Amino acid sequence: IDIEDIPQIIELLCSEEVAVTAAAVLEEGQLPESSDGEGLRPLESGRLLRALRDQVVIYWDSFELSEIASCFWNLAKAKLIHEPLQAAASHLVVQKAPRWQPKRFDPEVW
């Protein structure tokens, strides 16, 4: 898998309930159960999703900010954020936040 394809593949796998469930079960150190006709698909999909999550951390500097955000939010939605990814995201926010312009809100609206 090419590095530039990782965000799209994560998005695709996170949209598949079977892959997300398998990845979550693997996180707990168990093997996912497969339904009739699924065979090894849930296990392999779960493993691939977890491996790609690790690749995001390894190749962090190769991604655009929008790609990092996409990976992070898709994995967060699937409840698959782990400590290395969370630490990398926290470091990025601390690093980039001084350059971001704060938004101004109208107090009367709130």
Side-chain angles (χ1 to χ4, degrees):
I1 295 175
D2 290 330
I3 294 169
E4 61 267 5
D5 295 330
I6 290 174
Q8 292 83 15
I9 296 171
I10 286 177
E11 182 176 0
L12 176 66
L13 287 172
C14 284
S15 71
E16 293 186 17
E17 187 176 332
V18 67
V20 171
T21 301
V25 170
L26 286 166
E27 286 285 300
E28 297 170 1
Q30 301 173 15
L31 289 178
E33 296 179 19
S34 62
S35 302
D36 292 338
E38 288 183 342
L40 290 175
R41 185 173 178 270
L43 179 62
E44 294 306 317
S45 295
R47 284 184 178 157
L48 178 59
L49 185 52
R50 292 178 67 222
L52 291 173
R53 176 190 63 185
D54 295 340
Q55 294 297 304
V56 170
V57 176
I58 292 168
Y59 296 108
W60 188 263
D61 293 332
S62 300
F63 295 112
E64 298 290 327
L65 189 55
S66 62
E67 294 171 321
I68 292 170
S70 174
C71 290
F72 190 87
W73 293 122
N74 281 303
L75 290 164
K77 184 172 58 173
K79 296 183 171 78
L80 292 173
I81 297 294
H82 66 337
E83 198 280 322
L85 182 58
Q86 187 169 349
S90 296
H91 177 75
L92 179 69
V93 169
V94 168
Q95 182 183 33
K96 300 228 181 233
R99 290 183 267 159
W100 294 337
Q101 297 295 321
K103 292 187 177 184
R104 307 235 185 265
F105 295 103
D106 183 353
E108 293 179 16
V109 172
W110 301 99

